[in-house]
Structure formats: C-alpha cells, structure tokens
Amino acid sequence: MPLIGLEYPATDIRVCVFSGDLESFFPKPQGLVESEWPPTQVRYLGIYLGQLGCKTVLVEDHYMDRDYVYDVALFYSRSLRSYPNYCQRLHFFSEAFDQEAWRSHVVNIGSREHAASFLQASYLGFSVVKPLPGSPLGRTVLPTLGPEAQSGAQRSFGAVRPYQVHLAGFDLRVTGLVFQQQDQGVSACATTALWSAMHNVTKAEGLTVMTPAEITEAASRYALPTGRALPSEGLTIQQICEATRAAGLQPVLIPSVSLDHDRAQLLAYLSSGFAPVLAVQPLSGTGVGHAVCAVGLKVHQIKPQTNPNLHFKDRATSVTGLYIHDDRLGPYAAAELVQWTADNGKVRTAVFIRWPDADVPAEQSYLQAIIVPVPSKLRMSLTRIRALAHGLVEAAAVLFPEFADHIVFSCRYQLRHDYLSKAIHFGLSEAGLYDLQCKTVLSRFVGLIEITNEEEPLFDILLDATETLANPSALAIVGRRGLPAKYHPDLRNIADQFAARLIL
Amino acid sequence: MSSEERVRRALESARQAVKPIVKQEMEGELVSNELLSVRLRNHR
C-alpha cells in the first residue's frame, strides 16, 4: 500500500488570460451534479470582473484558507471522501501580462519596487477556490464599483475595509467586504450573510473574526429549532443574534415596518460602517426565508417633505437601493428598495435583486427584519437618536428661517477619533478647535446628528452613544462653516437647552 | 420675550410637531417571538 498524505502537494503560480468568464477555473465535478453548472455565483463573478476590467488571472495552486480549514476540521474531515485541507486562490488584475512578465516581476530584484507598484495598481482582489464539488467559491474580496452609477445615482460603500494579500513576496491590498458561496455543509445563507456582516466590525474592534463553521456552532449551542446543526439547515433570527453575541458583538434587531423607517436605519448603520443582515421572504408568500448582507447604498436626490406642517428634509429619503452580498448570486448585487402593497393590503418594503448585466430583477422579496452586529458599548439606539433629531431639525428650521424647507438632517454613529480628525475642516475658531480636540469628553463612538442646508453642514450634535436615552446625553453642539454668525446666539441657547457644550 | 425663551418654545413646539413620526418609529422597534423564530435557509 502506498504511503498516502506524507508528501507535500506541488504548487506554482500560473498566469492566465481572463476571457470574460471564470468557468474554466472551476472544473465540472464528475458524476451527477444536482444543481446547475457552472454555479450561478461563478457566472456572476465572471460578469462582475468583466465590469471591473479584469484582463489577467493568477492561479495560486496551493493556498491554506483559515475559513476552509475550520470547515474541514468541523465537518469534511469526517466524510468518506478525502477532502484536501488546502484550496487554490485566484488573483485578478486589470492589466494584461503573461507568465514571462510575471516571472520577471518576481525575480528582477532591481525593479522590485516598480513591479510592486504595477501589481498593486492593477490588483482587483482574489477568490479562494475550495475543493468542494458543489460549492467551490470560497472567500472572495473584490473592490466595489465606482461612486457613480449609470443612472446618475451615487454609490456609497460604508461597510468595506482594506484586506492585505501576500502573493510571492508582494504585499497587495484590496478594499471590499468578504463574500463566499454557502456550502450547505457547515453554512447556509444566514451563516454566510452574518460572516460577511461581522468581518468589518470585528476587525475594527480588535476581535477575532469567526469562521462560518464557528458561526454555525455558536448559533446552535443553545437553540436548535431545525433539529441538527450540521449539515446546516439554516438559522433562525434568534440564532443569528446568539452567534453575534458569541463573537463579542451585540445584535440590533429591527423589524421592518415601513420603507421610510427601513431606509433610515440602513442609511445610518451603513454610513457608520456596520453591515446589516437582511432577512427577506419571497413576495409570493411561499417558500423559505433568505438572508443577505447589505454592503452599500444607492442614493439619489433628497425628497421634499410630505407633511405640510414640517419644514425639514430627511437624508434617508435619498436612499433608493442597496448593494448586497447574496450568496446565491454574488458580491455587491444591486437591489432596489420599493414600497409594496401585499395581498392583505399591508404596505411593506420590497427588495428587488438584480443581476449586474440585466434590468429585470432576479428575485423579488419583502424585507422582514434588519439585524446589525454592533460593538457592545454602542447602546443608544438609532431610533432614539432620530427622535431627538426630528425635534431639533424642526426647531432649527423655525429659528434659522433662511434655511426653512431646505434644512436636512441625518444620523449615524462615528468613532470619536474619526470625527476629531475631520474637525480641522469645520471652519471652527482656534479656541473652538482646541475646545473640541482637548477639552471635550466624547465616547469612543458618538451618536452624530448632522444638520445641513443641502450644500454644506450647519451644525452637529454629538451624543454619548454609551447612554440609553438620547435627550440627557448631548455632549456637544458643534457649529459648522455653513451657519452664519448671526445665528450663533440661538445655537448657544439650543446648546444650553440640551445641557451640551457649544463649540464654535 | 427673551431669546432663551424663544428658543425653548421653538424646541417644545417642534417636539410636539414631530411626535407622530417619533411615535411611529418607536413602535416599529417592538420584536415579536414570531419574528425571532423566522428561519432563513434558502438554498441555490
């Protein structure tokens, strides 16, 4: 009997031309393939890479992927079939080069710096290929599309982060949010959506990023309504909350009640860098629920106020859609948010998910709930911040009449450091800048209400996000460049009413 | 009327004006057991 498994696998890095699709990198498995081949996610990825201008694919034959190794340890190592514990990794580049050029980049020591710059400038991210016949698409990080959509809408991706990639001694970097296909062994849609959602916030909080296998285990520790944990039969919303807590975060669970409410929540959390998991249900009312991860926003014009008794606008009305990681489709899939009247007459928020090259929605669902993994110390709910903001902005519209009907508010959380680092551009006096930077106590995350006049900021109110009630927790009101000095006395009176420090 | 009183009244009046919106958003936060039990497991 030959000795099995004692030899190390061979490896190389091969250069291939990207011809518009990725099917050749994912060979069809032998035997009966129960679902369609190539998988939808592979076809989607090919189209998306085409949009990014991909020209070259580097294939790293041997790659140890932490997430996959955990999957193997928990599940696949006990299968009859001998699954390898390593993967392949594909790297995508927007410049065309061949094997000879790649070799030259690696071995020409004199032009190493030039080679590193060339590779980084054209790097479009990576995709891990798992040796799982039915679900080969593993951890994938690609950049987002540009800030302007063809329709003229603006794209904004608040929940992405930089990923460092090591390839043949080169340090490469790509900014995005991790995506992968569900494998139905250790993960279903809810697991992969939560895995993506937690990737940015756990890193920022210095926590260990859980693998899909660890998420499924944590979700099943205390509650198993589906009977067995593995193979994964999906998660309930309660299990998603449990796994989020196991990761050292807290789940904010927001039932979907109306389009206005839902887009206000999505705008605030995504602008704060927190990726929400969306629980959706087919519009038909039949079929099982599904989970996706929201990564970015599509915004148009801010809509006018519909209540004639009010004199402000809500920035959340500018949100018309989302970019989501849908593990049945691919990363950054476009989804429209629309108001939908269900058969029972109830008005709901509907989510229409589209392919990148098609105008017709691939799927129509309604939104059931939004689950956002957030740091534990972020206690003040967004709804409470908005409650304070509504009253404040309406009062400002009355007190500063030249801005009435054009004054806009928005709410989000921001790290103290990020806010302070931008303060030099606020137009504050020297005394005001020193006061804000050195003499004002702020929580690590502040609840931020921004009042603007559609073109430039007027003033901000900073709230202590570690508190539970918004009203007694105003730390400071910060005047911004757009607020004329004639209104400063009234702003001082507003600050006094909130027992907040005024910074001008 | 002093400027302090004018601002106080403006804030109170605004608080009353937005009360219906605030109430609606607060009520939307209530979570039911039914929602917690929703299972998410779509395969493709």
Side-chain angles (χ1 to χ4, degrees):
Chain A
M1 184 177 173
L3 292 173
I4 299 170
L6 295 182
E7 70 282 3
Y8 289 99
T11 189
D12 197 357
I13 296 176
R14 295 174 284 121
V15 180
C16 305
V17 174
F18 176 71
S19 57
D21 66 62
L22 287 177
E23 294 172 30
S24 57
F25 298 96
F26 295 84
K28 186 176 178 182
Q30 291 183 329
L32 176 67
V33 179
E34 289 183 38
S35 48
E36 62 182 47
W37 195 268
T40 308
Q41 297 86 344
V42 171
R43 287 193 292 123
Y44 177 101
L45 206 60
I47 293 169
Y48 189 79
L49 283 165
Q51 289 187 338
L52 290 176
C54 181
K55 292 196 175 71
T56 306
V57 182
L58 255 68
V59 183
E60 205 178 353
D61 280 332
H62 183 272
Y63 177 69
M64 297 299 293
D65 182 69
R66 174 174 172 261
D67 292 282
Y68 175 67
V69 165
Y70 272 72
D71 291 355
V72 171
L74 183 68
F75 188 76
Y76 293 103
S77 63
R78 297 179 197 174
S79 301
L80 174 63
R81 181 185 274 160
S82 298
Y83 288 96
N85 66 350
Y86 62 90
C87 306
Q88 281 187 331
R89 186 163 61 158
L90 310 179
H91 299 270
F92 309 110
F93 294 85
S94 61
E95 291 286 346
F97 57 93
D98 58 15
Q99 191 77 40
E100 193 53 41
W102 166 247
R103 183 180 168 78
S104 167
H105 288 320
V106 174
V107 301
N108 283 352
I109 301 163
S111 57
R112 185 78 176 177
E113 207 170 301
H114 170 75
S117 303
F118 170 80
L119 293 170
Q120 178 58 65
S122 67
Y123 193 55
L124 295 175
F126 65 88
S127 187
V128 170
V129 183
K130 298 189 284 189
L132 302 178
S135 51
L137 191 61
R139 196 164 59 94
T140 297
V141 181
L142 299 176
T144 62
L145 292 171
E148 195 160 324
Q150 277 182 343
S151 62
Q154 296 295 308
R155 300 187 184 109
S156 150
F157 294 90
V160 296
R161 72 169 177 89
Y163 289 80
Q164 196 166 24
V165 181
H166 299 132
L167 175 65
F170 292 104
D171 287 330
L172 301 174
R173 183 175 272 238
V174 57
T175 298
L177 189 68
V178 70
F179 168 85
Q180 78 165 354
Q181 178 186 13
Q182 63 172 288
D183 73 338
Q184 295 168 35
V186 300
S187 66
C189 59
T191 311
T192 51
L194 182 60
W195 173 71
S196 293
M198 293 200 297
H199 239 254
N200 188 26
V201 63
T202 46
K203 183 82 176 170
E205 291 299 295
L207 301 167
T208 305
V209 180
M210 290 171 92
T211 66
E214 289 173 319
I215 290 173
T216 303
E217 269 196 317
S220 313
R221 191 158 294 147
Y222 303 115
L224 261 179
T226 55
R228 64 186 298 171
L230 303 171
S232 178
E233 285 296 317
L235 303 178
T236 62
I237 289 179
Q238 189 164 13
Q239 286 181 300
I240 291 176
C241 293
E242 192 59 53
T244 305
R245 282 189 286 269
L249 301 167
Q250 291 296 322
V252 177
L253 174 55
I254 307 149
S256 168
V257 283
S258 69
L259 181 59
D260 286 347
H261 177 264
D262 296 339
R263 56 189 177 191
Q265 301 284 334
L266 291 165
L267 171 67
Y269 283 108
L270 280 165
S271 309
S272 309
F274 305 128
V277 173
L278 309 182
V280 298
Q281 185 84 24
L283 274 188
S284 61
T286 57
V288 291
H290 179 50
V292 298
C293 173
V295 190
L297 296 159
K298 183 193 268 188
V299 295
H300 278 88
Q301 295 287 318
I302 301 166
K303 294 191 174 57
Q305 177 61 256
T306 52
N307 184 334
N309 299 318
L310 300 178
H311 307 90
F312 63 86
K313 297 180 187 179
D314 183 349
R315 189 168 295 281
T317 59
S318 65
V319 176
T320 59
L322 297 170
Y323 293 94
I324 59 168
H325 281 4
D326 184 340
D327 73 328
R328 302 164 309 170
L329 201 58
Y332 314 116
E336 302 297 319
L337 289 174
V338 296
Q339 195 158 280
W340 185 266
T341 305
D343 291 342
N344 61 6
K346 205 171 173 185
V347 178
R348 309 290 302 259
T349 300
V351 183
F352 292 177
I353 301 168
R354 293 175 195 275
W355 271 78
D357 62 344
D359 291 331
V360 182
E363 188 176 273
Q364 300 181 331
S365 305
Y366 69 80
L367 183 63
Q368 285 183 300
I370 301 166
I371 307 124
V372 198
V374 299
S376 300
K377 291 274 282 286
L378 203 149
R379 297 176 183 140
M380 182 178 289
S381 77
L382 181 76
T383 305
R384 289 202 178 277
I385 297 175
R386 280 179 58 82
L388 184 65
H390 275 108
L392 182 68
V393 69
E394 176 61 17
V398 173
L399 293 167
F400 311 144
E402 72 186 77
F403 301 122
D405 299 319
H406 300 288
I407 199 163
V408 181
F409 84 97
S410 64
C411 303
R412 67 175 190 275
Y413 304 96
Q414 189 163 34
L415 276 168
R416 172 188 57 217
H417 172 72
D418 290 348
Y419 186 83
L420 293 180
S421 66
K422 291 184 175 71
I424 53 169
H425 306 296
F426 287 179
L428 293 170
S429 65
E430 282 186 15
L433 191 57
Y434 188 82
D435 199 1
L436 177 62
Q437 303 278 16
C438 304
K439 299 174 87 171
T440 307
V441 174
L442 298 176
S443 47
R444 181 162 175 268
F445 276 98
V446 290
L448 172 60
I449 302 171
E450 264 187 330
I451 311 288
T452 72
N453 73 349
E454 286 181 344
E455 284 153 17
E456 56 182 345
L458 301 177
F459 66 94
D460 300 337
I461 181 161
L462 307 181
L463 306 171
D464 175 1
T466 65
E467 276 296 337
T468 50
L469 288 170
N471 203 31
S473 319
L475 296 166
I477 289 186
V478 182
R480 302 285 296 270
R481 198 182 296 277
L483 188 71
K486 65 182 177 183
Y487 292 135
H488 286 181
D490 277 349
L491 195 62
R492 182 172 298 284
N493 287 326
I494 292 174
D496 289 345
Q497 288 291 324
F498 284 94
R501 197 178 188 95
L502 178 68
I503 294 164
L504 294 169
Chain B
M1 191 193 311
S2 68
S3 61
E4 291 90 343
E5 181 59 15
R6 190 169 50 82
V7 168
R8 194 195 65 75
R9 286 190 185 186
L11 283 167
E12 180 54 26
S13 167
R15 199 174 68 87
Q16 294 300 331
V18 301
K19 222 171 185 174
I21 306 175
V22 170
K23 186 166 178 274
Q24 194 180 20
E25 292 202 2
M26 290 283 189
E27 283 173 354
E29 282 199 334
L30 300 173
V31 174
S32 65
N33 277 334
E34 192 187 357
L35 183 67
L36 287 171
S37 306
V38 167
R39 187 144 65 108
L40 309 168
R41 66 171 192 101
N42 208 342
H43 297 164
R44 185 179 286 176

